Structure formats: structure tokens, C-alpha cells
């Protein structure tokens, strides 16, 4: 009898995205080079790409999100003298190893303990380009998260927080609590995160929830007010990078892009100069 395939978990998406980074790194026109991605994704990453329907077609948004965040991180470190980076739900991200970073920069990665162990084992013997510390913690535990943020906030003078691929899995109340907890630490001046619009969330639920061992509540956060959601907690929009415009800018548009242009032309045009309302892409928040 054939054994039933195990549904994907949210933690599995770190493996999936690492595989996308490996695929991009091996292109002759790669937007970035992550020599560790294939090792981190492993055979499981290969298997995911094979078994998930149309998985390769969905690589573009993940790739351009990584590229857009890379640009912002490098800019903030060089222009604004950021000396502390805190990557929440870091997954299998290898930026401390692959990016050009100051040796004195303090980088902190926080994720589930099992993810931290997996990553540390895979990268054993490799040397990061900056000071790196990994911390195993359940970020959904608010008391543990607050203790973590208070401790790491003291590691620098001007901090940047990254939450790539995290917020969409949280409720609005949970995101509000996270925004409050980050604002409570004076060191954290910048926050890079990604955001989805309600329409995109609806499509994600219909397309991807069947791959997870959960119902459509797996994907939750998509505020209709976009970056305005964060304003009451002290975070203002510094820059918005639309995923749809980035797909074109980085020349990674999927074959299905015509659907958006055909069925949502007005919404797509609004993405050119959006400052409020529904957003899908990368946010740079500051305070």
C-alpha cells in the first residue's frame, strides 16, 4: 500500500523557499547567489518542487521578495549605519554568509529550536561575514518573544528587524502585538517585512491551503489599510516595493501574469504609486 504523503507544515515553507533560492542562484542571470541554499533545502526541497503542482511557476514572487529585501538591508547598513539586524522566523536564510556585511555587524536569527538546530548543523564549518547568534524560541509565545527582543535590543544602537514570510501566518491581533513589542525597544529603528492584500490572500488560500495540514486559516494577515495598519503602533511607511512591479523590474514575471493585467487592470495600475490601501510586496517601516 502506498503511504499517504505528509501535508506540508508552515515550517516546511522554509525548505521550499530555500529551494527557490537555489534555483535562482544557478541561473546565468541570477539576481543573487546563495551557495548554501541547495544544501539547506536538501533532498526534501527537491521533492517539494516535484510534488507540488506548478511549484516552479510560483518561484518568481519568492525570488523578487528576497532580492528586494537584500537591496534594502544593504542600503540601511551602508546609509544609516545599522549595527544590529534581528531576523525573526529566519528559517533557512543565509544572508549573514552570502551578503557583503561589516564584520562588526551583529546579526541575530530567531526561530523554532528545531529549525535553528537544522540550520546550524547544515552550516557547521562555514564562517559568516559578520557576528552571528542563533536563538531558538517560539515567537508565538509573547512572554518569550518580549524577553528575546529586550535581550537582543541591547546588542546594538541602531537596529533593523526582518520578518520575511512571517506576518501572513499571524492574525491581525498577533501582528499588532508584535508591532507593539518591537516599538517597545528603542534600538529597533527599521522593520522590513512583506505584506499581502486581501485579494491576494484569497487567492493564496484557494491555491495553497490544500498543501498544508490545516484549513484556509493558515493564511490570515492581509490588512485592507496596507502599511497604515502599523501606524498606531509607531511604525511609518518609508518605502513600498510592489511585488507586481518587482516581478517586472527584476524580469521574473510568471506566465500567469497576464491574468492580473486582464482581470485586475485598475488595481495593477494603482500599484505604481500606492501609499495607502491594500498592498502586496515589501515594506520598509521606520520610526
Amino acid at each position: 500500500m502506498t503511504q499517504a504523503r505528509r501535508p506540508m507544515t508552515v515550517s516546511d515553507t522554509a525548505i521550499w523557499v530555500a529551494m527557490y533560492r537555489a534555483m535562482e542562484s544557478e541561473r546565468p542571470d541570477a539576481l543573487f547567489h546563495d551557495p548554501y541554499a541547495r544544501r539547506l533545502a536538501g533532498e526534501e526541497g527537491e521533492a517539494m518542487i516535484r510534488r507540488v503542482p506548478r511549484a516552479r511557476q510560483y518561484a518568481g514572487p519568492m525570488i523578487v521578495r528576497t532580492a528586494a529585501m537584500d537591496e534594502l538591508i544593504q542600503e540601511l547598513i551602508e546609509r544609516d549605519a545599522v549595527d544590529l539586524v534581528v531576523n525573526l522566523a529566519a528559517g533557512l536564510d543565509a544572508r549573514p554568509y552570502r551578503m557583503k556585511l561589516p564584520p562588526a555587524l551583529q546579526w541575530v536569527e530567531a526561530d523554532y529550536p528545531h529549525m535553528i538546530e537544522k540550520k546550524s548543523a547544515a552550516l557547521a564549518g562555514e564562517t559568516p561575514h559578520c557576528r552571528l547568534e542563533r536563538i531558538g524560541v517560539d515567537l508565538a509565545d509573547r512572554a518569550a518573544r518580549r524577553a528575546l527582543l529586550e535581550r537582543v535590543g541591547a546588542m546594538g544602537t541602531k537596529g533593523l528587524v526582518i520578518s520575511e514570510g512571517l506576518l501572513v501566518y499571524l492574525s491581525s491581533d498577533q501582528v499588532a502585538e508584535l508591532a507593539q513589542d518591537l516599538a517597545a525597544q528603542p534600538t529597533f529603528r527599521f522593520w522590513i517585512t512583506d505584506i499581502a492584500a486581501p485579494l491576494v490572500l484569497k487567492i493564496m488560500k484557494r491555491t495553497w491551503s490544500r498543501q498544508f495540514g490545516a484549513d484556509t486559516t493558515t493564511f490570515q494577515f492581509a490588512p485592507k489599510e496596507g502599511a497604515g495598519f502599523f501606524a498606531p503602533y509607531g511604525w511609518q511607511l518609508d518605502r513600498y516595493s510592489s511585488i507586481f512591479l518587482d516581478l517586472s523590474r527584476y524580469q521574473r514575471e510568471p506566465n500567469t501574469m497576464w491574468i492580473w493585467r486582464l482581470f485586475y487592470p485598475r488595481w495593477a495600475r494603482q500599484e505604481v504609486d500606492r501609499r495607502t490601501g491594500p498592498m502586496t510586496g515589501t515594506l520598509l517601516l521606520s520610526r
Side-chain angles (χ1 to χ4, degrees):
M1 174 180 273
T2 303
Q3 186 176 8
R5 174 169 59 86
R6 176 181 67 83
M8 289 176 59
T9 66
V10 172
S11 292
D12 287 332
T13 61
I15 301 172
W16 190 358
V17 175
M19 192 62 208
Y20 281 151
R21 289 196 294 267
M23 291 163 51
E24 175 65 22
S25 298
E26 292 160 6
R27 291 178 56 133
D29 60 344
L31 299 175
F32 53 82
H33 293 278
D34 186 343
Y36 310 97
R38 187 167 289 276
R39 183 196 314 176
L40 290 164
E43 294 181 0
E44 192 173 358
E46 292 271 12
M48 285 182 184
I49 295 299
R50 287 196 300 268
R51 75 172 183 247
V52 175
R54 299 182 297 279
R56 293 181 182 275
Q57 296 180 28
Y58 298 107
M62 303 298 179
I63 295 304
V64 301
R65 182 181 74 184
T66 296
M69 289 191 175
D70 280 0
E71 289 183 2
L72 287 174
I73 293 166
Q74 202 78 58
E75 178 182 328
L76 290 170
I77 291 171
E78 295 175 0
R79 185 195 69 189
D80 294 281
V82 162
D83 60 1
L84 170 65
V85 177
V86 180
N87 192 352
L88 301 178
L92 299 176
D93 174 67
R95 286 187 175 99
Y97 297 86
R98 67 174 179 81
M99 290 184 68
K100 183 179 179 181
L101 302 171
L105 175 72
Q106 177 65 60
W107 194 292
V108 179
E109 297 180 337
D111 210 324
Y112 289 118
H114 74 270
M115 184 61 69
I116 293 295
E117 292 172 7
K118 174 184 176 68
K119 187 175 188 178
S120 296
L123 295 176
E126 301 292 346
T127 303
H129 296 157
C130 62
R131 296 158 56 197
L132 174 64
E133 181 175 349
R134 296 194 183 98
I135 301 173
V137 62
D138 181 357
L139 293 169
D141 181 335
R142 194 176 189 188
R145 185 177 71 225
R146 282 176 162 174
L148 166 76
L149 296 176
E150 184 176 359
R151 179 163 81 85
V152 302
M155 293 181 178
T157 60
K158 186 177 289 187
L160 160 66
V161 177
I162 306 169
S163 58
E164 183 176 9
L166 171 63
L167 300 193
V168 72
Y169 299 110
L170 306 180
S171 68
S172 293
D173 288 344
Q174 289 174 316
V175 176
E177 289 178 350
L178 176 60
Q180 291 172 334
D181 293 346
L182 293 177
Q185 301 303 320
T187 302
F188 300 146
R189 299 278 301 280
F190 303 100
W191 183 6
I192 296 175
T193 192
D194 51 303
I195 192 171
L199 174 61
V200 173
L201 188 79
K202 186 180 298 185
I203 294 171
M204 290 172 65
K205 286 182 175 183
R206 186 166 60 242
T207 304
W208 295 114
S209 288
R210 70 192 69 174
Q211 303 295 338
F212 291 86
D215 57 25
T216 55
T217 59
T218 298
F219 301 108
Q220 301 183 68
F221 185 66
K224 64 180 183 300
E225 64 269 50
F229 176 91
F230 301 94
Y233 313 106
W235 294 99
Q236 303 300 321
L237 178 62
D238 188 292
R239 197 176 313 170
Y240 166 51
S241 186
S242 163
I243 196 74
F244 302 104
L245 298 183
D246 280 346
L247 284 166
S248 176
R249 176 165 70 104
Y250 290 116
Q251 299 182 356
R252 292 296 182 272
E253 290 187 333
N255 295 333
T256 54
M257 200 66 187
W258 65 271
I259 296 176
W260 289 94
R261 294 196 181 97
L262 179 63
F263 292 101
Y264 310 109
R266 180 181 176 185
W267 190 70
R269 285 198 301 271
Q270 290 173 338
E271 285 290 295
V272 175
D273 190 30
R274 184 181 292 278
R275 297 293 297 181
T276 60
M279 298 176 175
T280 299
T282 300
L283 301 180
L284 170 59
L285 304 170
S286 61
R287 65 185 189 90

